[in-house]
């Protein structure tokens, strides 16, 4: 058992306190992605449409799309970590109460475990 009677010694308060940070950073990243898309959209094609500009865009364009997609995935991932940590904390509370109830019915006498008469 943990220091405060926890059976599995998972710090539920830490999980619940940390989880919102993932949501905050997810939101921050989504805002940054919107700013990036807006700025790049406003810039248009400043490299021009000559041969050199076309070659640059052919190399540059796909990377912008990959960066935007990766940032979108990361933003969603951070949000899901927030949800998962919150669910894990809530589930752990329920699980710990179940384990405590199961083992609370067992008494130890003379080194042998005895059930609750079932």
């Amino acid at each position: 058992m943990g220091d405060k009677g926890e059976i599995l010694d998972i710090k539920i308060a830490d999980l619940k306190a940390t989880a919102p940070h993932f949501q905050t950073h997810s939101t921050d990243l989504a805002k940054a992605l919107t700013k990036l898309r807006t700025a790049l959209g406003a810039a248009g094609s400043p490299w021009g449409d000559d041969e050199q500009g076309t070659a640059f865009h052919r190399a540059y364009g796909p990377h912008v799309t990959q960066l935007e997609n990766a940032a979108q995935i990361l933003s969603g991932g951070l949000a899901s970590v927030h949800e998962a940590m919150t669910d894990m904390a809530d589930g752990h509370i329920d699980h710990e109460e179940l384990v405590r109830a199961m083992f609370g019915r067992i008494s130890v006498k003379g080194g042998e475990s005895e059930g609750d008469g079932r």
Side-chain angles (χ1 to χ4, degrees):
M1 290 184 114
D3 296 338
K4 297 178 183 172
E6 301 105 350
I7 292 173
L8 299 176
D9 198 24
I10 293 175
K11 307 294 188 240
I12 296 166
D14 290 347
L15 287 173
K16 288 192 172 217
T18 303
H21 295 288
F22 286 92
Q23 182 63 40
T24 299
H25 297 308
S26 171
T27 302
D28 292 345
L29 184 57
K31 288 178 185 176
L33 179 58
T34 299
K35 282 184 172 183
L36 175 65
R37 285 181 173 152
T38 301
L40 291 176
S45 301
W47 45 84
D49 59 358
D50 61 358
E51 185 179 330
Q52 188 175 7
T54 302
F56 173 80
H57 182 67
R58 218 176 8 254
Y60 167 78
H63 294 294
V64 171
T65 302
Q66 289 173 341
L67 174 68
E68 289 175 347
N69 290 341
Q72 187 67 44
I73 290 168
L74 182 57
S75 177
L78 289 171
S80 70
V81 169
H82 167 250
E83 293 169 14
M85 287 180 76
T86 302
D87 290 347
M88 184 170 67
D90 292 342
H92 179 69
I93 291 169
D94 294 341
H95 182 261
E96 188 167 305
E97 289 172 0
L98 175 65
V99 170
R100 189 179 315 281
M102 288 174 14
F103 287 103
R105 294 186 296 223
I106 298 173
S107 62
V108 178
K109 293 182 181 176
E112 295 181 22
S113 295
E114 296 181 8
D116 58 347
R118 291 184 197 185

